[in-house]
């Protein structure tokens, strides 16, 4: 029996922790950790390749941490890091075909492990309606 949550933050933390823990075996098979998944997740395959600066802002990461993480993803064959054709001072990150598959597999694993999947569509709509305003600036 679980104890009642003392705060909304604690409840959210437990959901994220359960999701991460449940997805870890599938992520490990892909050679991924949560920081590497965050980078893959932040790259929308249907948009032009983002700059490292853009990804850094999206995942709230320092440049040095992002460089380390992207090097790992390049080694795995999931990303390419090339010069931005419009500004040679920047680097862009592109998903490789293997990276697109890994991104999808990682997000599928996280979604499958998320305890919120137990909610009905109606309950999820209600949850989104409640949480939505909390994320507005």
């Amino acid at each position: 029996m679980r104890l009642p949550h003392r705060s909304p933050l604690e409840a959210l933390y437990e959901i994220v922790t359960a999701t991460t823990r449940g997805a870890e075996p599938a992520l490990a098979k892909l050679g991924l950790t949560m920081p590497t998944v965050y980078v893959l997740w932040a790259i929308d395959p249907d948009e032009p390749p983002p700059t490292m600066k853009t990804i850094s802002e999206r995942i709230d990461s320092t440049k040095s941490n992002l460089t380390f993480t992207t090097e790992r993803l390049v080694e795995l064959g999931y990303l390419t890091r090339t010069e931005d054709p419009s500004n040679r001072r920047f680097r862009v990150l592109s998903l490789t075909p293997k990276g697109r598959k890994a991104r999808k597999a990682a997000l599928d694993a996280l979604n499958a492990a998320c305890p919120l999947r137990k909610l009905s569509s109606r309950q999820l709509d209600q949850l989104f309606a409640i949480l939505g305003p909390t994320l507005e600036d």
Side-chain angles (χ1 to χ4, degrees), residues 60-80:
D60 196 25
S61 175
T62 64
K63 289 178 185 177
S64 61
N65 282 344
L66 182 59
T67 298
F68 176 79
T69 305
T70 57
E71 284 175 4
R72 176 72 180 132
L73 291 167
V74 168
E75 288 171 7
L76 288 168
Y78 295 156
L79 289 182
T80 59

Side-chain angles (χ1 to χ4, degrees), residues 80-133:
T80 59
R81 187 174 48 216
T82 57
E83 219 173 62
D84 184 344
S86 62
N87 186 338
R88 295 176 54 196
R89 294 177 298 157
F90 296 108
R91 300 286 175 258
V92 293
L93 299 173
S94 301
L95 292 167
T96 64
K98 184 178 175 183
R100 286 174 183 258
K101 289 178 185 172
R103 180 184 188 274
K104 182 180 181 332
L107 296 181
D108 287 350
L110 288 166
N111 281 316
C114 182
L116 296 177
R117 75 186 182 291
K118 298 173 188 172
L119 299 178
S120 69
S121 294
R122 184 172 173 266
Q123 290 171 317
L124 285 172
D125 288 343
Q126 291 171 333
L127 179 63
F128 294 146
I130 292 166
L131 293 178

Side-chain angles (χ1 to χ4, degrees), residues 7-35:
S7 72
L9 181 60
E10 184 179 44
L12 291 172
Y13 175 78
E14 287 184 21
I15 290 168
V16 170
T17 300
T19 301
T20 303
R21 194 177 308 121
E24 279 177 347
L27 299 179
K29 286 180 184 176
L30 296 165
L32 298 172
T33 60
M34 283 310 297

